[in-house]
Amino acid sequence: TVIRAAILIQNWYRFTMARLEMRRRYSLSIFQSIEYADEQDQLQVSNLQFFLYNQLCYSQRTEVAQTKMGTPSVSQVVDEGLCLTEFEKKIDVPDSYYGPRLSFPLTVEDANALLHAFRNEQLLHARYVLQLLCETRKVLKEMPNITHLSTSYSKEITVCGDLHGNLDDLLLIFYKNGLPSEQNRYVFNGDFVDRGKNSMEILIILFAFLLIYPNDLHLNRGNHEDYIMNLRYGFTKEVSKKYKDHGKQILCLLRDVFSWLPLATIIDSKVLILHGGISDTTDLDFLNALERNKLKSLMRPPKSVRDRQDQVKERIPTTRPICYLQILDILWSDPRSQNGCTPNKSRGGGCYFGPDVTAKLFERYNLKMLIRSHEFKPEGYEISHDGKVITIFSASNYYEEGSNRGAYIKLNPELIPRFVQYRVSKDTHRQNLRERVGTIESSALKSLREKIYAHRSELTSAFTQYDLNGTGMIPVNDWAAAMESVLQLELPWRMLRSQLAQMNPDGEVDFMSCFHDLKIGQPIKEVQPALAETLCRYRKDLEIIFNIIDKDHSGLISLEEFGQMWKLFTSHLGIDVHDESFDKLVLSIDYNKDGHIDFNEFLEAFHVVRRLEKKAN
């Protein structure tokens, strides 16, 4: 009896754990699929953002105003590289400032002062930020496109992946692994910024240690070290909020600094470290020789770039398009288990590369290992292509508290990797596994429901095509096919059906029930269904454009500016929305009739919520 009871308990436990793991995995799949779909949307509107960003940095009003004040203009800072004394003369540091006061050349004491200040949520004054960026650019400009390191100078080299503005992860790495030094060398493999709230602090710390130990701390460029990406994913907003008076100067100088970041690092001529991956046309010799700073953003390809397949076949001789594609591949590509090299449709940029592509590059350059980042991994790392490709991801809790571990790699002189995992934990240690999975699942489903509501019209049309008898019910397979055809998220829809829709006793899906439990957070009478869907779908893009127009970062723009923004946006994307209904909406939002729109309130009004909030099981 005891044995039977033990077996019963063991089976129950295994079933429970397997079910929790299944829920965790599909929740993470939802997060990642929506993230990649968002990157495709970013590529769609990048040209419009590029145009508006130039206005942000180079508007005549800004230049004239700065000239009158005697402050160096943004274009002067970026194009001429003014010396530090110019900033010391023009930007005063008040006596009320109690943060670090940097002097150059920097010392270890300066770096420790920065770490202490950031732990206590202090900001570094704008003058020192600009000085630091100028000095960093000088150092980066002297570096090659591909940096070569040797383990003979130290026992081990530490390689870190994406940090994405999570300062606590960087501080934990330094606590566990030690600060950078001549005996403790680091390679940080891109994506330092965006998403998290402390991207600026991470850059300042990394740049400071780069200036102190230029031969021992190395930085590779990631796909988020790109000013157009920063508009969408939070870094531009963070800098503008933290440095209102000098934000434009800092951002435009960073635009140039990012373009000077090296593209890759090679250790002992055997280990290639780059952010994304490779393609069947990756040429390290070509990458090492090109002018990397010419491409400030990969979101706006040169006009002469054609379809990717045509480019590869025809080998167009112009340097700039090939340069663009070579860098795009190493910053955006992902490994796959299938052989070959195909366009990366999930992200909209780069490619998927198989084991044969890896083997071919290794044979050509006598390599042993490729270390890359760029992809979320639940355990912080993943080994693929028979051990030849390692993905390292250093941002823990990336999607949600408790969603993943972060990790870094220790490489010894024998080039045998050792993985160190961690998770910055504030609340998760108080939750059991069921509660953690429930929190992740609830957040993922909320994001997915918002996506579903934003595509309600297309989904309804797709469902109706399968409902030949007009019953409102369709088989699960047809429901899943319709969901995928519209949303294109490559999710396990059959598994998700019970979370997203209602079923009848025959196992068919009531397809309109996908929308019954969803509504706009703050209903506004003037909003027509099609307009509401459009506003939900493009809320992020509208926010980016708003922040560009809102030059004083007050959170307010005039009704006229808002109308112009909307017309420019809909025209660019070919969206057909009646101006009359939108004009009524705009007027209704201006509650106090002062002629201005509070855009934060506007965004909140178009969040999708459930009619009846349900607690995660």
Side-chain angles (χ1 to χ4, degrees):
T1 302
V2 173
I3 294 174
R4 284 200 298 268
I7 292 173
L8 185 65
I9 292 171
Q10 186 181 59
N11 289 339
W12 171 84
Y13 175 78
R14 287 176 175 172
F15 174 79
T16 301
M17 295 302 293
R19 186 173 177 81
L20 285 173
E21 178 62 16
M22 177 188 69
R23 289 169 57 193
R24 187 181 77 94
R25 288 190 180 187
Y26 79 60
S27 297
L28 296 179
S29 295
I30 291 171
F31 277 126
Q32 192 166 54
S33 295
I34 292 176
E35 177 186 351
Y36 290 176
D38 193 49
E39 289 178 347
Q40 290 186 46
D41 292 341
Q42 164 68 26
L43 290 168
Q44 188 178 18
V45 298
S46 59
N47 284 339
L48 177 60
Q49 293 169 11
F50 178 85
F51 168 74
L52 293 170
Y53 187 92
N54 278 343
Q55 290 189 333
L56 170 71
C57 279
Y58 297 103
S59 67
Q60 291 298 319
R61 283 183 295 175
T62 302
E63 298 288 354
V64 171
Q66 288 173 333
T67 303
K68 287 181 179 178
M69 291 187 296
T71 305
S73 69
V74 173
S75 59
Q76 284 177 300
V77 171
V78 174
D79 298 333
E80 299 173 20
L82 294 180
C83 62
L84 300 181
T85 55
E86 291 297 323
F87 294 117
E88 292 171 342
K89 291 176 183 177
K90 303 299 183 183
I91 304 177
D92 293 325
V93 180
D95 294 336
S96 59
Y97 170 72
Y98 291 102
R101 292 177 179 265
L102 304 182
S103 58
F104 295 84
L106 292 181
T107 63
V108 175
E109 288 71 25
D110 290 317
N112 286 328
L114 289 170
L115 290 170
H116 177 75
F118 295 157
R119 285 192 188 100
N120 292 285
E121 299 184 356
Q122 285 182 305
L123 286 179
L124 181 64
H125 193 276
R127 187 180 92 176
Y128 302 122
V129 173
L130 289 165
Q131 288 179 313
L132 179 71
L133 294 179
C134 280
E135 289 298 298
T136 300
R137 182 172 64 172
K138 290 180 183 177
V139 171
L140 292 176
K141 287 176 71 173
E142 298 302 316
M143 290 183 173
N145 294 350
I146 300 177
T147 308
H148 287 262
L149 304 181
S150 172
T151 56
S152 63
Y153 296 108
S154 62
K155 294 181 180 179
E156 292 182 310
I157 294 176
T158 302
V159 183
C160 301
D162 300 28
L163 288 167
H164 279 302
N166 293 335
L167 178 62
D168 288 341
D169 286 312
L170 178 61
L171 296 178
L172 183 59
I173 291 170
F174 284 165
Y175 174 77
K176 291 171 69 72
N177 195 60
L179 295 176
S181 68
E182 293 176 355
Q183 292 75 38
N184 193 23
R185 308 172 84 190
Y186 279 89
V187 177
F188 287 89
N189 198 25
D191 278 13
F192 319 118
V193 302
D194 281 333
R195 303 190 188 280
K197 64 179 182 179
N198 295 115
S199 297
M200 196 68 228
E201 287 80 359
I202 286 177
L203 283 182
I204 290 169
I205 290 171
L206 294 180
F207 289 164
F209 278 112
L210 174 69
L211 295 180
I212 299 167
Y213 299 111
N215 298 317
D216 306 297
L217 183 134
H218 300 272
L219 307 174
N220 289 339
R221 185 176 180 178
N223 67 308
H224 278 264
E225 278 67 63
D226 183 308
Y227 70 99
I228 296 295
M229 292 288 285
N230 301 154
L231 281 166
R232 186 183 190 90
Y233 294 104
F235 182 49
T236 299
K237 188 175 182 179
E238 177 191 331
V239 174
S240 299
K241 183 178 179 180
K242 291 178 177 178
Y243 296 99
K244 292 183 178 180
D245 294 335
H246 300 284
K248 293 182 180 68
Q249 287 177 311
I250 292 172
L251 286 168
C252 289
L253 188 49
L254 274 168
R255 172 184 175 179
D256 198 51
V257 170
F258 284 166
S259 73
W260 282 109
L261 286 167
L263 302 174
T265 302
I266 295 179
I267 298 178
D268 291 344
S269 301
K270 294 294 183 181
V271 180
L272 173 63
I273 306 172
L274 44 74
H275 181 71
I278 58 175
S279 74
D280 53 3
T281 61
T282 296
D283 186 331
L284 298 183
D285 298 322
F286 181 83
L287 283 168
N288 200 38
L290 58 81
E291 296 179 276
R292 66 180 185 271
N293 66 303
K294 297 299 183 182
L295 279 173
K296 307 295 187 198
S297 175
L298 291 168
M299 295 295 95
R300 189 172 184 269
K303 293 180 180 179
S304 51
V305 172
R306 307 178 187 178
D307 178 81
R308 178 180 176 81
Q309 287 79 4
D310 293 340
Q311 179 73 39
V312 172
K313 289 178 182 178
E314 297 179 20
R315 283 297 195 185
I316 300 171
T318 53
T319 304
R320 188 167 170 79
I322 297 177
C323 163
Y324 167 80
L325 288 172
Q326 287 276 328
I327 297 179
L328 185 74
D329 284 341
I330 66 170
L331 297 189
W332 278 84
S333 298
D334 296 310
R336 287 293 181 270
S337 57
Q338 297 82 8
N339 279 338
C341 183
T342 58
N344 193 327
K345 294 180 180 179
S346 294
R347 293 187 187 270
C351 69
Y352 298 123
F353 63 99
D356 58 328
V357 177
T358 299
K360 180 181 176 182
L361 187 83
F362 280 22
E363 182 180 359
R364 179 177 178 183
Y365 293 103
N366 195 26
L367 296 170
K368 176 182 178 180
M369 187 188 306
L370 168 63
I371 298 178
R372 42 90 62 179
S373 304
H374 191 45
E375 274 189 293
F376 163 89
K377 297 299 175 185
E379 297 303 315
Y381 73 94
E382 184 177 84
I383 302 173
S384 56
H385 292 188
D386 298 321
K388 294 183 175 68
V389 175
I390 296 175
T391 299
I392 191 74
F393 194 82
S394 299
S396 67
N397 307 309
Y398 180 62
Y399 289 127
E400 183 66 48
E401 187 77 16
S403 62
N404 67 290
R405 292 187 174 99
Y408 55 86
I409 300 174
K410 303 280 289 182
L411 273 180
N412 61 21
E414 287 74 38
L415 300 180
I416 299 173
R418 179 167 62 91
F419 301 96
V420 180
Q421 297 170 288
Y422 56 87
R423 178 185 285 133
V424 174
S425 183
K426 296 179 180 178
D427 300 318
T428 50
H429 64 284
R430 303 193 192 104
Q431 296 180 322
N432 59 40
L433 178 61
R434 184 185 295 273
E435 290 171 333
R436 289 201 301 271
V437 171
T439 300
I440 296 166
E441 182 183 46
S442 177
S443 180
L445 289 172
K446 181 179 179 181
S447 298
L448 182 56
R449 290 188 182 102
E450 185 164 309
K451 195 87 172 173
I452 289 170
Y453 185 91
H455 291 81
R456 176 171 177 163
S457 297
E458 297 101 311
L459 284 169
T460 302
S461 177
F463 293 146
T464 304
Q465 291 180 16
Y466 290 105
D467 184 24
L468 301 179
N469 297 322
T471 63
M473 312 295 295
I474 57 177
V476 173
N477 286 343
D478 292 343
W479 177 83
M483 293 291 279
E484 182 58 32
S485 67
V486 173
L487 299 180
Q488 297 184 6
L489 295 176
E490 297 183 3
L491 291 174
W493 294 111
R494 290 174 57 87
M495 185 184 300
L496 292 169
R497 68 186 185 279
S498 61
Q499 299 280 3
L500 301 174
Q502 297 174 4
M503 311 282 293
N504 69 8
D506 296 329
E508 291 185 316
V509 179
D510 176 0
F511 56 81
M512 290 306 294
S513 66
C514 295
F515 316 111
H516 289 167
D517 198 27
L518 306 177
K519 66 173 184 176
I520 291 293
Q522 300 174 22
I524 298 174
K525 294 179 181 179
E526 285 74 10
V527 181
Q528 300 300 318
L531 178 56
E533 290 175 30
T534 302
L535 290 167
C536 290
R537 189 182 309 178
Y538 295 106
R539 196 173 61 244
K540 282 188 178 181
D541 304 299
L542 290 170
E543 183 178 12
I544 294 166
I545 298 169
F546 180 94
N547 288 329
I548 295 173
I549 295 173
D550 180 24
K551 293 183 173 63
D552 62 356
H553 310 295
S554 64
L556 297 172
I557 61 174
S558 69
L559 298 179
E560 183 181 358
E561 286 177 321
F562 191 62
Q564 290 174 350
M565 175 190 77
W566 175 253
K567 289 177 181 177
L568 183 64
F569 183 76
T570 54
S571 174
H572 180 78
L573 290 182
I575 301 170
D576 185 20
V577 176
H578 295 298
D579 291 340
E580 182 180 354
S581 60
F582 188 78
D583 291 341
K584 289 180 180 179
L585 168 64
V586 172
L587 290 173
S588 69
I589 293 175
D590 183 20
Y591 295 110
N592 59 3
K593 307 304 177 185
D594 65 350
H596 289 84
I597 285 185
D598 182 332
F599 199 64
N600 290 326
E601 292 182 359
F602 172 79
L603 290 175
E604 286 301 315
F606 291 96
H607 275 288
V608 175
V609 299
R610 302 186 69 181
R611 296 178 189 275
L612 298 173
E613 290 296 331
K614 299 177 182 178
K615 295 182 179 179
N617 294 326

